[in-house]
Amino acid sequence: MNRDWQQAATVTVDALRVERVGKRFGAFTALDGVSLSVKKGEFLCLLGPSGCGKTTLLRIIAGLESLSEGALYMDDQGRGERDVSRLAAAQRDYGIVFQSYALFPNLTVAQNIAYGLKGRREDKVLRVTELLAQIGLPGIEGKYPAQLSGGQQQRVALARALATSPSLLLLDEPLSALDARVREHLRREIKSLQQKLGVTTIMVTHDQEEALTMADRVVVMNHGVIEQIGTPEEIYTRPASRFVADFVGQSNWFNAVSAGIGQVLLGDALLGATVTPPRPDGYAVELFIRPEDVQLHANWGPAEARVANTALAHVRKIELLGGLYRVGLSVPGWGNLQVVADVSRGEFERLNLSLERMVPVSLPATRLRAFADTRTGAAT
């Protein structure tokens, strides 16, 4: 047997490949050379603010919007990949769930789910029964959409999208119309069902919590381009740009200038920081650190005095946020810098924090990251 053929036969094809896709609406560029690949069985989230291009990209993948340039390739059931760039939506083998559910109000639940199915009536009934059991709503075949809650309607819409066993499931902000408690419950159910079925899924959302809890990988978009692709852990702990760092999660930002390898000047104070890529001395940077990475100490003693990036701070504000406290600090030694720290309830009690108390605060160099200050130019 030809060895090259053997090697070629073992090559896995992505479920979807987006290659330099662009979309223009007149003079407005909605997508600018977007490229990404989606692995089989992966749950991928397109995350970004309104107008970033994420919904336009999903609609292009679905064939509901034409692309201006670039190409789309889908796995052709194990026979390699096929170019679907110009194919009609009905020829692309996907199921889609919209924010508005889009159920037919005059059809029963069973008729909605079976709408795209072909074959014998008995087979359709079995498939509907199977899907309703999978989404946790057995026995509601005869009900109409208006008789269901928003969460139930969305689950029925999900069952309809899965009815034909598509190779790709597209979710367009499927949970944004639901209240917080239902949304949290449903996102766990959707993720569990997706893992059980192994269906490749792309979900559009502007909700970072949804993306971080549901996705295998997150694609962060802004102004029609991709800022970063990575696992939720990578996106949150190692943001590739200032936009990603600011958009995902809570953050502290401080203006500083670079001052040697791994060092920055914050006012008159020399601090250690993660500066990537390295910047020349005097380069304007913005320092970034998550509130939960800010460290507070109970007392100022010899041990605390030796900790790098440590200074005394006034406690100016305390907010209870359920399982944690958000503490606002002012640091005189760093030019009255305003710092926000998140501490657990146990840590809050151990530190005996109260308003106007002085506490030592540390900004660990491994967690304090420097991004180029695009607002002020290259150097100060």
Side-chain angles (χ1 to χ4, degrees):
M1 186 179 291
N2 186 288
R3 188 172 181 178
D4 291 339
W5 183 89
Q6 281 183 300
Q7 290 177 337
T10 62
V11 174
T12 58
V13 177
D14 292 323
L16 175 73
R17 186 161 61 89
V18 178
E19 189 173 289
R20 297 189 299 276
V21 164
K23 177 62 179 179
R24 291 181 299 277
F25 296 97
F28 174 69
T29 300
L31 293 173
D32 187 8
V34 169
S35 295
L36 61 89
S37 60
V38 188
K39 303 178 180 68
K40 291 181 182 177
E42 182 176 33
F43 196 121
L44 188 86
C45 272
L46 304 178
L47 174 67
S50 297
C52 72
K54 59 187 186 297
T55 297
T56 300
L57 178 57
L58 190 80
R59 289 179 60 83
I60 287 174
I61 292 170
L64 303 176
E65 194 76 61
S66 62
L67 47 75
S68 301
E69 61 208 17
L72 295 172
Y73 301 94
M74 288 184 67
D75 174 47
D76 191 14
Q77 299 179 347
R79 298 188 293 268
E81 61 180 22
R82 60 176 182 148
D83 188 339
V84 299
S85 308
R86 308 295 172 184
L87 290 183
Q91 299 175 290
R92 297 197 185 194
D93 188 24
Y94 69 85
I96 190 166
V97 179
F98 297 100
Q99 174 185 342
S100 59
Y101 320 139
L103 298 175
F104 299 111
N106 59 322
L107 300 183
T108 65
V109 165
Q111 290 168 332
N112 265 283
I113 294 174
Y115 186 78
L117 293 175
K118 295 180 174 63
R120 298 185 309 163
R121 180 179 179 279
E122 294 82 359
D123 293 335
K124 292 180 182 180
V125 171
L126 284 174
R127 181 60 173 155
V128 169
T129 302
E130 175 191 18
L131 286 163
L132 286 175
Q134 286 180 337
I135 63 170
L137 294 174
I140 67 164
E141 289 89 341
K143 290 189 175 183
Y144 287 87
Q147 297 174 289
L148 307 178
S149 68
Q152 290 172 327
Q153 289 186 54
Q154 195 57 291
R155 279 192 272 181
V156 171
L158 180 64
R160 185 177 64 182
L162 293 169
T164 58
S165 300
S167 61
L168 188 62
L169 177 63
L170 305 178
L171 306 175
D172 186 9
E173 305 229 27
L175 307 179
S176 60
L178 305 173
D179 65 55
R181 187 176 293 274
V182 174
R183 190 163 62 239
E184 183 178 345
H185 174 69
L186 202 51
R187 73 187 182 206
R188 287 196 299 267
E189 287 197 349
I190 290 174
K191 178 61 178 177
S192 176
L193 183 60
Q194 185 269 337
Q195 290 177 320
K196 178 182 176 181
L197 299 177
V199 60
T200 307
T201 302
I202 303 175
M203 183 174 80
V204 162
T205 182
H206 65 274
D207 187 319
Q208 55 182 276
E209 191 173 316
E210 276 182 16
L212 294 178
T213 55
M214 297 178 72
D216 298 313
R217 285 191 304 153
V218 179
V219 179
V220 184
M221 298 183 65
N222 185 34
H223 295 309
V225 300
I226 292 175
E227 293 272 349
Q228 185 175 358
I229 302 176
T231 65
E233 174 73 15
E234 289 167 344
I235 295 292
Y236 188 80
T237 62
R238 296 188 295 279
S241 68
R242 191 200 189 284
F243 173 81
V244 175
D246 196 39
F247 184 75
V248 179
Q250 299 294 320
S251 51
N252 288 287
W253 291 98
F254 318 124
N255 294 324
V257 294
S258 55
I261 297 175
Q263 291 184 314
V264 294
L265 271 174
L266 186 61
D268 295 328
L270 187 64
L271 304 183
T274 303
V275 185
T276 52
R279 306 290 181 181
D281 290 3
Y283 196 97
V285 296
E286 289 185 279
L287 300 179
F288 155 81
I289 190 169
R290 301 283 186 200
E292 67 268 26
D293 290 330
V294 176
Q295 297 177 357
L296 303 182
H297 310 276
N299 301 289
W300 182 273
E304 285 73 23
R306 290 195 297 270
V307 176
N309 295 8
T310 301
L312 279 171
H314 292 284
V315 177
R316 299 298 192 194
K317 188 176 182 180
I318 297 174
E319 293 179 287
L320 174 61
L321 301 178
L324 58 85
Y325 284 90
R326 183 154 292 163
V327 182
L329 306 159
S330 177
V331 190
W334 295 339
N336 289 317
L337 190 73
Q338 304 301 301
V339 181
V340 174
D342 285 349
V343 297
S344 67
R345 295 174 68 94
E347 186 74 357
F348 184 87
E349 292 174 4
R350 185 187 70 81
L351 294 168
N352 192 27
L353 293 174
S354 60
L355 290 174
E356 300 305 325
R357 191 190 156 189
M358 294 284 286
V359 294
V361 57
S362 298
L363 307 179
T366 55
R367 300 293 188 180
L368 187 64
R369 297 194 57 189
F371 291 92
D373 190 342
T374 56
R375 298 172 302 172
T376 58
T380 60

